[in-house]
């Protein structure tokens, strides 16, 4: 079992910044890669950013140049630095871990609201 706990969401004005954190615990040896997804009201969950098995990163086109995913392996923690936030970034953000044997783990989600 892998547990993921997100933190750092909140209400920010357009143009502002937020930093999300995701701490993994439990059977962390089974984690292959980690990343961030989001789900806006009435929309499907979508990839925001993730690490690949090789250590590179993938970003959604809508966040390239504004969001940065990073990690501290010794802390089993992944971060998402979000800059130049827009109202359309409003969503529940979920931390994700891809595990051995094709399994997935999800955090409980953290709300990010961009509004003036």
């Amino acid at each position: 079992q892998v547990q993921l706990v997100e933190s750092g969401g909140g209400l920010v004005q357009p143009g502002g910044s937020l930093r999300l954190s995701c701490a993994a615990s439990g059977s962390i040896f089974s984690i292959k890669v980690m990343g961030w997804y989001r789900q806006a009201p009435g929309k499907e969950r979508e990839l925001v950013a993730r690490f690949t098995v090789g250590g590179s990163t993938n970003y959604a086109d809508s966040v390239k140049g504004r969001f940065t995913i990073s990690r501290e392996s010794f802390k089993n923690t992944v971060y998402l630095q979000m800059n130049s936030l827009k109202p359309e970034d409003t969503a529940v953000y979920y931390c994700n871990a891809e595990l051995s044997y094709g399994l997935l783990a999800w955090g409980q989600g953290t709300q990010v609201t961009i509004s003036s």
Side-chain angles (χ1 to χ4, degrees):
Q1 292 278 357
V2 171
Q3 294 79 43
L4 304 174
V5 178
E6 303 105 334
S7 61
L11 172 63
V12 178
Q13 292 186 343
S17 297
L18 278 175
R19 188 194 196 205
L20 305 183
S21 300
C22 172
S25 61
S27 302
I28 58 174
F29 58 87
S30 66
I31 297 175
K32 297 171 64 179
V33 294
M34 294 181 69
W36 290 94
Y37 287 70
R38 68 186 181 186
Q39 187 166 18
K43 295 188 177 181
E44 294 186 354
R45 192 172 297 189
E46 63 176 2
L47 171 70
V48 177
R50 67 184 287 272
F51 286 99
T52 68
V53 173
S56 60
T57 53
N58 296 138
Y59 291 93
D61 288 342
S62 59
V63 306
K64 284 180 180 177
R66 299 188 299 121
F67 291 12
T68 303
I69 188 171
S70 61
R71 60 188 173 186
E72 290 186 297
S73 298
F74 70 98
K75 289 186 177 180
N76 304 312
T77 301
V78 173
Y79 304 97
L80 184 68
Q81 178 66 43
M82 305 185 294
N83 299 327
S84 302
L85 284 161
K86 305 175 181 180
E88 51 264 42
D89 295 318
T90 295
V92 178
Y93 283 69
Y94 295 92
C95 182
N96 164 269
E98 298 173 27
L99 313 177
S100 302
Y101 307 110
L103 299 176
L104 298 176
W106 294 94
Q108 80 285 357
T110 185
Q111 178 69 47
V112 172
T113 302
I114 313 304
S115 175
S116 55

